[in-house]
Amino acid sequence: MYVVDMETPKNPTSLNHRIREGLARLAVAMRSDDWSRAKGAGVNPAQLSILEALEGGPEGMSVKAIAAYLAVSQPSATDSLNALERKGLIEKRAGSDKRAVTVFLTDAGRALLAAPDQADARAARQAVDCLAQDEQEALLISIVKIIRRLQDIDAIPIQRMCATCRYFAPFAHQDAERPHHCHFVDAAFGQRDIRIECRDHDTADPASRAATWEVFAKG
């Protein structure tokens, strides 16, 4: 019988490396959740992401915009869109430029997204729920900072989150609970209400995004 000596490593990998290891483990659980949910809906995860993008985004999206949102090539997005069209979950409409089409959800697509998905049972959701509210809030802000950096280095396209929106005014109020302001709905809101995905998002120009981020990051 072999006995394996267990001891705390004297030279652990860097904190950065261990955080990425942790995020990779979380991604595995989230992908598993996505596959289970997509399977129940009769689509694959990529197709489900497209339906959710169409539901959460502006009315109708171009193939180019969908590909950019999912960070995939236009041919890959087109393959998924063709499959969704055959299932009657989306429809394509020609615009003034016949070479371009705009993609819309059909009633069947909306019904699929509205169907119960047992979200409470998802592993990732249960994992987040184990954190206290202030821990969840801190994690949300950390995620926003990571996403913002990924955008800066062009690893992902600009996301429809508050920090890149022209309607977002960070720390515009003295109220510690609701320091931010959304000019789209003309209302104050708090850190825990910061959005990663907003259908009313309107991307600010680069100079405004930089100025907004400077204020937001200072806190």
Side-chain angles (χ1 to χ4, degrees):
M1 179 178 180
Y2 293 97
V3 177
V4 179
D5 293 332
M6 300 295 290
E7 61 177 316
T8 301
K10 295 179 180 177
N11 298 300
T13 57
S14 69
L15 179 59
N16 182 301
H17 179 82
R18 282 172 280 142
I19 288 173
R20 286 184 282 115
E21 284 182 323
L23 292 174
R25 303 295 188 278
L26 295 177
V28 170
M30 295 181 73
R31 281 198 297 271
S32 177
D33 280 350
D34 288 345
W35 271 108
S36 296
R37 185 175 175 226
K39 184 179 180 181
V43 295
N44 65 36
Q47 294 166 6
L48 184 60
S49 293
I50 289 175
L51 295 177
E52 291 177 334
L54 290 170
E55 181 189 45
E59 184 68 15
M61 295 177 70
S62 68
V63 176
K64 181 179 180 181
I66 292 171
Y69 176 77
L70 298 176
V72 299
S73 66
Q74 288 195 48
S76 293
T78 298
D79 288 343
S80 294
L81 289 169
N82 289 341
L84 290 170
E85 187 176 33
R86 288 193 295 272
K87 295 173 182 176
L89 300 174
I90 64 161
E91 63 175 327
K92 300 173 186 172
R93 301 176 193 168
S96 55
D97 181 350
K98 294 184 179 179
R99 294 171 299 178
V101 298
T102 303
V103 182
F104 296 84
L105 270 180
T106 63
D107 289 342
R110 291 190 182 85
L112 182 148
L113 292 173
D117 64 359
Q118 297 182 325
D120 288 341
R122 290 191 224 163
R125 177 174 180 136
Q126 292 182 52
V128 173
D129 279 343
C130 81
L131 300 176
Q133 286 296 309
D134 59 337
E135 292 175 319
Q136 291 187 24
E137 183 178 308
L139 179 58
L140 173 64
I141 300 305
S142 295
I143 290 172
V144 167
K145 291 179 178 178
I146 292 172
I147 291 175
R148 196 260 183 179
R149 181 56 182 160
L150 290 171
Q151 292 173 166
D152 282 353
I153 59 176
D154 293 327
I156 60 173
I158 292 177
Q159 303 297 296
R160 299 190 299 228
M161 61 182 188
C162 293
T164 59
C165 182
R166 73 182 182 91
Y167 298 119
F168 179 52
F171 299 102
H173 303 286
Q174 295 299 317
D175 185 348
E177 290 296 317
R178 297 190 301 169
H180 309 309
H181 194 86
C182 174
H183 288 292
F184 185 82
V185 295
D186 192 22
F189 64 99
Q191 286 280 72
R192 67 182 57 218
D193 299 314
I194 290 287
R195 295 189 180 188
I196 300 292
E197 175 71 26
C198 178
R199 69 175 305 152
D200 299 317
H201 179 270
D202 192 354
T203 303
D205 61 71
S208 296
R209 289 202 305 273
T212 295
W213 182 257
E214 184 175 354
V215 174
F216 180 71
K218 285 182 179 177

